């Protein structure tokens, strides 16, 4: 039986171009160095050598673990570790879906200019758009804070990463997870199970920064939820969020196969209240014994 070998993604992409372009790319590849960098493939693109990419991955991983609020380092880690395989896999996922192909064709962007937040706040209470706007307001987050992709060489794959990055807050709104470290770690576990992007898995190292009770809650509740839902859910990168804004958010969760986890803010609030009552009870007992 004949075996059909498929070319690697970057080779397949190269073969789509004329012979002159292919030859030029090969020559650039052979001579690519820090002192002889090829021209960018798109606006803002920064071509990296293999050594530079590895250094960027290590440096951004250490830096983002030290300070999980450094979104620029997390973005750099995502781009440095997404190639050569994982971002191509995610693009293939989009190309295999009619909706994903439309997203790649239309190239929508998610910003405060492309989405009218005042309008979203007027949508029905349980709509996707209203839930998204409410989450942004509650967490004090803006859709304009996402860094521009620049370290991924393939232009279309760069858009795939940009799309994933800009949809991140919709994943928060869909799951209800807050922006605090504990909520971000839980969401990254869900994203890793669904997208397989290495950065989302590496971000789980931040669990070491959690307090004992938070780590216990993550291992016992949120990690099992993340793995179960991430694996069984539809590919969330194929959701055309701009077309789902008026849909009931519970209906969308059902369609995607995502169950909402326990409300983390309410859980933490109840835990603090329980500790407060326990402390007051101990103080009352101590006062009675003192008398």
């Amino acid at each position: 039986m004949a075996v059909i070998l498929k070319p690697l993604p970057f080779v397949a992409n190269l073969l789509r171009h004329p012979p002159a372009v292919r030859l030029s790319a090969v020559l650039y590849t052979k001579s690519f160095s820090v002192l002889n960098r090829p021209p960018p493939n798109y606006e803002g693109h920064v071509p990296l050598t293999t050594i530079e990419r590895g250094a960027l991955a290590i440096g951004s991983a250490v830096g983002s673990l030290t300070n999980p609020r450094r979104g620029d380092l997390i973005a750099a880690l995502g781009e440095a570790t997404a190639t050569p395989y994982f971002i191509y896999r995610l693009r293939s996922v989009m190309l295999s879906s009619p909706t994903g192909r439309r997203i790649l064709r239309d190239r929508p962007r998610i910003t405060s200019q492309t989405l009218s937040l005042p309008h979203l706040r007027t949508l029905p209470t349980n709509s996707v758009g209203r839930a998204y706007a409410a989450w942004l307001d509650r967490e004090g987050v803006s859709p304009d804070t996402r860094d521009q992709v620049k370290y991924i060489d393939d232009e279309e794959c760069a858009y795939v990463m940009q799309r994933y990055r800009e949809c991140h807050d919709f994943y928060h709104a869909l799951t209800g997870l807050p922006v605090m470290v504990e909520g971000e770690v839980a969401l990254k576990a869900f994203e890793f199970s669904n997208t397989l992007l290495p950065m989302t898995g590496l971000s789980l190292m931040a669990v070491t920064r959690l307090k004992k009770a938070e780590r216990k809650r993550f291992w016992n509740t949120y990690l099992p939820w993340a793995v179960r839902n991430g694996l069984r859910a539809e590919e969330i990168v194929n959701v055309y969020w701009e077309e789902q804004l008026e849909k009931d958010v519970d209906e969308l969760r059902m369609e995607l196969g995502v169950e909402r986890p326990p409300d983390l803010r309410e859980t933490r609030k109840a835990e603090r209240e329980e500790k407060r009552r326990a402390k007051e009870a101990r103080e009352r007992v101590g006062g009675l014994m003192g008398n």
Side-chain angles (χ1 to χ4, degrees), residues 3 7 37 70 110-111 114 120 134-135 180 206 216 244 263:
V3 178
R37 201 177 297 276
R70 284 289 302 276
I110 296 177
T111 68
T114 60
L120 296 184
W135 185 88
M180 65 183 68
K216 181 180 179 181
Q244 304 292 330
D263 190 308

Side-chain angles (χ1 to χ4, degrees), residues 5-26:
L5 298 177
K6 294 183 179 180
L8 292 174
F10 68 90
V11 175
N13 182 57
L14 186 61
L15 293 175
R16 293 201 295 263
H17 296 283
V21 175
R22 297 203 298 265
L23 177 60
S24 175
V26 171

Side-chain angles (χ1 to χ4, degrees), residues 156-167:
E156 189 172 53
C157 286
Y159 173 75
V160 172
M161 176 61 78
Q162 191 71 41
R163 178 67 179 178
Y164 154 75
R165 186 174 291 171
E166 293 179 0
C167 290

